[in-house]
């Protein structure tokens, strides 16, 4: 049966699988789906079925609005004391001649490139360098905020933070408080990978575990710092590992309401110790987004990171529950390009992003880091969206 032209309610009623129909009815009645429901959707839910439900939820929450922001990345170093098997980016400290280390001045110079430009966020994340400690980054943040107080500073995964706090002999609460006082305003979602220890032992055994990751985000939420959350999917995990991961995040969100966005991240196998593991195909990628939208019912936003997926696949994801495609990036992140992503030079202007979103009949909305609307471009000529020479 072709469900393409069915209203979603009819699609659910026409589904022959009784348990899948029951899940669809739960979704339409705004009832939370269970762990077993999530596993069943992965195991037996067709792309058309989960996609239609996810798009319905997305449009219930956000209509046609698709968010993006004007941001740039600073990656202080790719030298790292940890050795994650999936990582194509980092270089062990013993081989640091193969990597890079930015000084405070180097990082401030990157910020200064955007003087006079309407960027709203700097995203700071990188490897775990033993010489880049808590005090080092407190000073970096202060320098950035002194130079440009209006710029939102989002930075550091729990992997970086746990090492900083352990080395400084401070608790997560104390360390985050000191960073917040320096000017850190939110945390990205990286370092989560897959929470279950069965998988974590095989892909990232030496870095902060699930409890540590969740503890740091919980502490950030207590301080009023919003955060994001990620999941690295499509490698050696099973479907139930994905649901276990999402369940832990959903429970913490029930407790704190501190997460803004969930971001499924596709495993890329280029130039790493897991290069023998095949990557997921586009059908599985879209199913992942759709089921995430259905399961993560208390997360307001679902993001597809366009440099990882490529532009056309990011457009496609907007029909599978996604309502955010990240930002302009401005060719400043190497994490995915070094692993073989479609976007080897990940930069898009505001004009590019507006065009990309409009091409699939969605409304482009520029946001700040915490989803305050800056401008809705849905009724403007695309040419008017490019307002500065650096990001056009």
């Amino acid at each position: 049966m072709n469900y393409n032209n069915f209203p979603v309610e009819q699609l659910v009623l026409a589904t022959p699988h009784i348990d899948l129909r029951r899940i669809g009815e739960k979704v339409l009645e705004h009832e939370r789906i269970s762990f077993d429901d999530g596993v069943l959707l992965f195991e037996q839910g067709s792309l058309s079925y989960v996609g239609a439900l996810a798009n319905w939820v997305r449009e219930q929450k956000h209509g046609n609005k698709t968010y993006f922001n004007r941001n740039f990345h600073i990656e202080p170093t790719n030298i790292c004391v940890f050795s994650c098997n999936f990582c194509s980016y980092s270089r062990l400290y013993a081989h640091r001649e193969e990597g890079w280390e930015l000084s405070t001045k180097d990082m401030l110079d990157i910020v200064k490139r955007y003087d006079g430009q309407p960027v709203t966020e700097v995203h700071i994340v990188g490897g775990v360098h033993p010489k880049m400690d808590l005090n080092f980054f407190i000073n970096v943040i202060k320098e950035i905020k002194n130079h440009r107080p209006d710029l939102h500073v989002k930075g550091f995964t729990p992997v970086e933070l746990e090492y900083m706090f352990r080395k400084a002999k401070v608790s997560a609460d104390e360390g985050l408080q000191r960073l917040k006082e320096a000017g850190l305003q939110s945390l990205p979602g990286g370092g989560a990978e897959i929470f279950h220890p069965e998988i974590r032992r095989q892909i990232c055994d030496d870095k902060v575990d699930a409890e540590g990751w969740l503890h740091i985000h919980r502490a950030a939420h207590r301080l009023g710092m919003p955060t994001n959350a990620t999941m690295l999917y499509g490698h050696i995990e099973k479907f139930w590992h994905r649901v276990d991961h999402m369940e832990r995040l959903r429970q913490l969100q029930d407790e704190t309401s501190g997460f803004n966005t969930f971001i499924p991240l596709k495993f890329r196998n280029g130039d790493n110790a897991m290069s023998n593991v095949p990557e997921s195909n586009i059908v599985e990628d879209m199913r992942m987004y759709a089921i995430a939208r259905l399961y993560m019912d208390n997360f307001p936003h679902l993001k597809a990171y366009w440099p990882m997926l490529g532009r056309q696949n990011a457009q496609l994801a907007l029909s599978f529950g996604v309502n955010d495609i990240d930002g302009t990036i401005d060719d400043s992140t190497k994490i995915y390009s070094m692993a073989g992503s479609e976007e080897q030079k990940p930069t898009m202007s505001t004009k590019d992003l507006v065009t990309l979103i409009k091409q699939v009949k969605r409304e482009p909305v520029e946001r700040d880091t915490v989803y305050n609307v800056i401008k809705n471009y849905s009724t403007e000529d695309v040419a008017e969206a490019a307002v500065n020479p650096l990001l056009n």
Side-chain angles (χ1 to χ4, degrees):
M1 182 176 289
N2 184 348
Y3 293 134
N4 288 344
N5 298 317
F6 268 45
V8 68
E9 295 86 355
Q10 291 184 37
L11 185 151
V12 170
L13 289 173
T15 300
H17 193 297
I18 294 174
D19 289 331
L20 288 176
R21 189 188 317 150
R22 178 181 50 80
I23 294 171
E25 290 168 351
K26 282 185 179 181
V27 171
L28 295 179
E29 293 168 7
H30 303 283
E31 181 181 342
R32 173 165 285 184
I33 65 175
S34 69
F35 186 100
D36 290 340
D37 292 338
V39 175
L40 183 65
L41 287 173
F42 275 116
E43 291 178 344
Q44 300 191 41
S46 68
L47 180 61
S48 60
Y49 189 66
V50 298
L53 286 170
N55 187 60
W56 183 85
V57 172
R58 178 240 204 270
E59 293 185 354
Q60 288 285 306
K61 289 178 178 286
H62 302 289
N64 274 330
K65 291 182 174 62
T66 296
Y67 296 93
F68 69 92
N69 69 335
R70 302 196 205 199
N71 64 345
F72 65 97
H73 286 217
I74 294 177
E75 295 175 353
T77 184
N78 69 333
I79 294 165
C80 193
V81 298
F82 301 121
S83 56
C84 300
N85 290 335
F86 61 83
C87 185
S88 311
Y89 171 83
S90 67
R91 299 294 180 266
L92 286 172
Y93 184 69
H95 304 287
R96 55 191 179 276
E97 68 279 356
E98 300 172 12
W100 69 81
E101 306 174 36
L102 300 184
S103 66
T104 300
K105 180 182 181 302
D106 293 332
M107 288 184 257
L108 190 59
D109 286 344
I110 293 173
V111 174
K112 288 178 179 178
R113 292 179 199 166
Y114 297 88
D115 285 356
Q117 308 301 334
V119 293
T120 57
E121 174 190 292
V122 56
H123 181 139
I124 306 173
V125 66
V128 179
H129 194 300
K131 293 182 181 178
M132 293 181 173
D133 60 11
L134 180 60
N135 288 329
F136 174 85
F137 281 115
I138 285 172
N139 184 60
V140 168
I141 295 167
K142 285 181 176 178
E143 290 285 337
I144 292 172
K145 296 300 282 189
N146 285 339
H147 178 73
R148 188 161 179 178
D150 62 307
L151 192 63
H152 183 106
V153 180
K154 178 171 76 176
F156 314 118
T157 69
V159 182
E160 297 163 89
L161 293 169
E162 186 275 337
Y163 185 85
M164 283 186 222
F165 300 159
R166 177 157 43 92
K167 193 169 182 180
K169 297 181 172 57
V170 298
S171 67
D173 293 85
E174 182 182 350
L176 284 166
Q177 181 64 46
R178 290 176 60 185
L179 288 165
K180 182 180 180 182
E181 289 170 358
L184 183 67
Q185 292 160 277
S186 64
L187 305 187
E193 322 316 354
I194 289 286
F195 285 147
H196 198 279
E198 177 183 352
I199 301 301
R200 211 166 184 85
R201 279 193 297 268
Q202 297 177 67
I203 67 172
C204 54
D205 189 39
D206 55 351
K207 72 182 185 185
V208 65
D209 62 11
E211 288 70 27
W213 192 100
L214 293 165
H215 172 70
I216 286 174
H217 278 261
R218 181 181 287 107
H221 298 169
R222 280 198 298 266
L223 291 172
M225 298 173 68
T227 74
N228 294 338
T230 63
M231 177 173 68
L232 184 71
Y233 72 91
H235 42 91
I236 64 170
E237 86 284 0
K238 295 181 173 64
F239 290 142
W240 72 266
H241 291 125
R242 297 184 191 179
V243 180
D244 173 78
H245 185 100
M246 292 191 291
E247 176 63 23
R248 298 185 199 212
L249 290 170
R250 194 168 72 171
Q251 288 181 13
L252 181 54
Q253 182 74 332
D254 280 344
E255 177 187 333
T256 68
S257 301
F259 289 111
N260 277 330
T261 312
F262 181 57
I263 313 163
L265 296 174
K266 176 188 178 81
F267 163 72
R268 308 305 303 239
N269 64 9
D271 194 26
N272 59 46
M274 294 173 64
S275 58
N276 62 309
V277 177
E279 296 178 358
S280 59
N281 60 37
I282 189 62
V283 171
E284 279 307 305
D285 293 337
M286 294 304 116
R287 273 168 33 89
M288 179 66 246
Y289 284 109
I291 295 169
R293 178 72 283 173
L294 300 176
Y295 201 85
M296 309 299 275
D297 56 8
N298 55 3
F299 274 65
H301 303 284
L302 179 68
K303 181 189 293 188
Y305 187 54
W306 69 261
M308 173 196 67
L309 283 178
R311 301 176 194 215
Q312 289 184 333
N313 291 340
Q315 286 178 313
L316 182 61
L318 297 179
S319 295
F320 290 88
V322 168
N323 70 290
D324 188 301
I325 57 171
D326 203 79
T328 47
I329 306 294
D330 197 40
D331 198 20
S332 52
T333 180
K334 301 182 178 70
I335 290 174
Y336 272 94
S337 61
M338 289 173 72
S341 65
E342 277 78 6
E343 297 285 340
Q344 289 298 298
K345 290 180 69 63
T347 181
M348 273 203 280
S349 68
T350 303
K351 180 180 178 181
D352 293 334
L353 282 163
V354 167
T355 300
L356 181 141
I357 294 165
K358 283 187 171 183
Q359 283 174 342
V360 290
K361 311 302 182 186
R362 300 293 188 179
E363 296 178 28
V365 178
E366 182 184 350
R367 60 167 175 84
D368 66 10
T369 302
V370 294
Y371 288 86
N372 295 310
V373 173
I374 295 174
K375 191 169 189 177
N376 188 319
Y377 288 93
S378 59
T379 59
E380 288 200 21
D381 182 76
V382 175
E384 297 175 16
V387 297
N388 68 85
L390 189 64
L391 298 177
N392 65 12

